[in-house]
Amino acid sequence: PSATRCNMLQHAATGLRGLHLAFDPVWNRTKSFKPHRKRLNGPLYNSAHGAALRHEFQHFICNFIAPHVRSHTNCRRLYFQSTPCLRIQPPGKNRVGYPHTDSMYFHQRGQINFWVPVTKVYDTNTLWVESLPGLQDYHPFELEVGQCARFYGNKCTHFTLANDTPDTRVSMDLRVVPEACFDPDPPDSRGRDGRPIFFLGSYYAAADYDEATDSWAVAEGTLVPHSFDTD
C-alpha cells in the first residue's frame, strides 16, 4: 500500500483498537459480540461506504497482491475473492472459530491466503498458523498496520484464541488463485445439492496483467454487482 494509505490506516487503527468500547464503555469480556459484528459487516455489502471499501480492495489486489503473486508464479491472470472477509475480535473469554483448514469448507487446493490486519496484532488477538501442513508448529502473526501475511490456508491449520489483550483486532482476509492453479469446477467445491459453491462471477473475480503497461486491472464482467457500486 502507498505511504498515504498506510498513514490513513495507522490513524484509523488507533480508534479501531477500542471499537468494543464504542458499543459498551464498560466492556464485559463474557459478552457476545456477534450481534454487533452483524451490524458492522452488513454495510460491507449494502452501503456507499462498502462500495468505497471494495474500490480500495480492488486497488489493493491490482497494485500489491497481483504483482506479488506474479513475481513468484509469472501468472497473467489472478482469480481473487471478490469481496474480502472482515473480521472483528474484541477482548473476550470466547474464541472466534476453531482450528481448521480451508479445504474443510470446500475451497479449492490452489488457493493462497492473505491476512491483512488493520490494527496492530499480537499475542492472543491475532491468527495462529502452522508453517507446513500437519507440522502443528503453531505461531502467531505479529504484524503492524500496513503489513500482511501470506500462508497456505487450504492445508495449513489456522485458528484464533480467546482475545485476552485489551485491544479489539480488526482484520481483512482474502484468497487468490494463480491462473495455472485455478480449477473452474473442482469436484471438492460442491454443495450437498451437487452445485458449485465457489465460481467466477460470484465468489471469484479475476484480474489480468497488461504487459504493455506493466499493470493489472480487474477483468470486465467478473465482479459481483452491488447496488451502491458506481463503476
Side-chain angles (χ1 to χ4, degrees):
S2 68
T4 300
R5 282 181 166 84
C6 283
N7 289 337
M8 291 171 62
L9 279 173
Q10 288 168 351
H11 179 73
T14 302
L16 289 174
R17 291 201 302 269
L19 183 63
H20 55 288
L21 299 176
F23 290 93
D24 185 352
V26 185
W27 182 250
N28 183 348
R29 285 176 173 264
T30 63
K31 188 176 181 180
S32 172
F33 193 70
K34 192 172 183 179
H36 303 309
R37 189 177 293 111
K38 289 181 178 180
R39 286 172 54 196
L40 289 168
N41 281 351
L44 180 62
Y45 303 97
N46 299 301
S47 76
H49 294 297
L53 177 59
R54 287 192 298 275
H55 179 77
E56 287 298 313
F57 173 67
Q58 292 156 28
H59 182 278
F60 181 58
I61 291 292
C62 291
N63 290 277
F64 180 76
I65 298 295
H68 172 78
V69 175
R70 176 172 165 77
S71 71
H72 291 276
T73 66
N74 203 33
C75 65
R76 301 179 64 88
R77 167 166 277 207
L78 184 72
Y79 297 90
F80 65 93
Q81 186 175 332
S82 60
T83 301
C85 294
L86 185 65
R87 317 283 186 180
I88 302 168
Q89 187 185 17
K93 298 295 184 183
N94 301 311
R95 69 196 307 170
V96 180
Y98 292 88
H100 67 281
T101 64
D102 287 359
S103 62
M104 295 167 60
Y105 296 95
F106 310 109
H107 287 280
Q108 62 176 274
R109 66 186 64 183
Q111 281 184 337
I112 304 166
N113 296 56
F114 287 88
W115 196 75
V116 189
V118 292
T119 55
K120 180 179 179 178
V121 292
Y122 61 98
D123 198 20
T124 58
N125 77 355
T126 189
L127 187 69
W128 290 66
V129 184
E130 62 181 347
S131 59
L132 290 171
L135 205 57
Q136 298 184 0
D137 59 337
Y138 304 113
H139 61 279
F141 287 145
E142 296 189 336
L143 303 170
E144 300 287 342
V145 176
Q147 295 181 311
C148 73
R150 183 194 70 203
F151 67 104
Y152 186 40
N154 190 265
K155 297 299 181 185
C156 288
T157 299
H158 49 286
F159 56 88
T160 59
L161 300 171
N163 182 1
D164 197 37
T165 77
D167 298 326
T168 287
R169 182 258 297 170
V170 182
S171 60
M172 179 180 73
D173 56 85
L174 60 133
R175 299 165 182 85
V176 304
V177 188
E179 183 176 20
C181 301
F182 185 74
D183 187 338
D185 188 14
D188 294 338
S189 296
R190 290 179 173 270
R192 293 182 180 180
D193 59 1
R195 296 180 180 180
I197 301 174
F198 307 110
F199 52 90
L200 184 63
S202 177
Y203 181 83
Y204 289 111
D208 291 327
Y209 176 68
D210 183 345
E211 190 168 3
T213 61
D214 188 26
S215 63
W216 288 80
V218 175
E220 186 175 352
T222 65
L223 278 173
V224 179
H226 293 269
S227 58
F228 284 87
D229 291 335
T230 57
D231 54 19

